[in-house]
Amino acid sequence: MEMRRKDLAVTDQEKLDEMIQRCDCFRLAFADGIHPYIVPLSFGYVRDGDKGRFYFHSAGAGRKVDLCRKLGRAGFELDNGGRVKPDEKPCDFSVAYESVVGEGAVTELTDLEEKAAGLQIIMEHYSHRTDWVFPESVLERTCVFCLTVEEISGRAHG
């Protein structure tokens, strides 16, 4: 992914992972023909060697589920901050932020153990706990997806 403001680029994977962990919302984006579709989600993120993986969940039906199954790939965006930095001159206003964008392959997890592991990663992101128990009936009716990152870039502006 080419970036115009290279001075704002974050290329260190460890720093990108830290930025992701500070975010609360994962926006998933699809190209549905000529109709763009983007949806904000709760998420969990892990790095497994050189692969980053986002986990998200859904009810068993709907546009997001249909597009995940149909397309098998999506774009994503996360951001943290957005604190306005005022100035005396209008053109010198700026915003302090961190953002991460990318794309990857989306797969649906169907094995109950894999679904539970994905949900555990999501819950850990928000609760910092790893001991959640998910009833089998919940796992059976919940869709859990994994987006494996293929391209990623970050920006930070202090």
Side-chain angles (χ1 to χ4, degrees):
M1 295 180 168
E2 189 63 31
M3 186 180 300
R4 184 181 62 81
R5 292 281 313 265
K6 295 190 184 332
D7 60 312
L8 301 179
V10 176
T11 57
D12 179 76
Q13 190 58 60
E14 189 173 313
K15 287 188 184 345
L16 285 169
D17 290 347
E18 290 170 4
M19 288 168 54
I20 290 167
Q21 294 298 343
R22 286 192 289 271
C23 294
D24 291 325
C25 182
F26 174 72
R27 291 170 190 85
L28 195 62
F30 298 96
D32 187 13
I34 64 166
H35 302 284
Y37 179 68
I38 187 166
V39 60
L41 302 166
S42 55
F43 74 100
Y45 175 79
V46 294
R47 172 151 297 285
D48 183 17
D50 65 341
K51 290 288 182 189
R53 291 189 171 81
F54 288 96
Y55 292 87
F56 56 96
H57 71 291
S58 176
R63 188 173 182 191
K64 170 183 58 198
V65 171
D66 292 345
L67 290 171
C68 284
R69 290 174 177 160
K70 174 182 159 186
L71 301 174
R73 66 182 304 99
F76 62 86
E77 187 275 343
L78 305 97
D79 59 76
N80 188 7
R83 182 178 45 82
V84 174
K85 296 168 62 178
D87 195 274
E88 293 301 314
K89 299 177 191 171
C91 293
D92 288 340
F93 265 62
S94 66
V95 176
Y97 67 89
E98 295 177 327
S99 67
V100 177
V101 297
E103 63 181 82
V106 178
T107 56
E108 183 174 3
L109 306 180
T110 55
D111 177 79
L112 295 186
E113 285 184 28
E114 287 180 331
K115 289 169 90 169
L119 291 172
Q120 192 73 252
I121 291 167
I122 295 167
M123 291 303 300
E124 182 180 0
H125 181 75
Y126 296 99
S127 70
H128 306 289
R129 284 180 43 198
T130 59
D131 59 348
W132 296 97
V133 177
F134 305 98
E136 189 172 320
S137 61
V138 170
L139 294 173
E140 288 173 350
R141 70 174 181 261
T142 304
C143 287
V144 180
F145 293 93
C146 175
L147 183 147
T148 302
V149 176
E150 294 172 353
E151 290 190 41
I152 191 166
S153 66
R155 290 174 65 118
H157 186 266

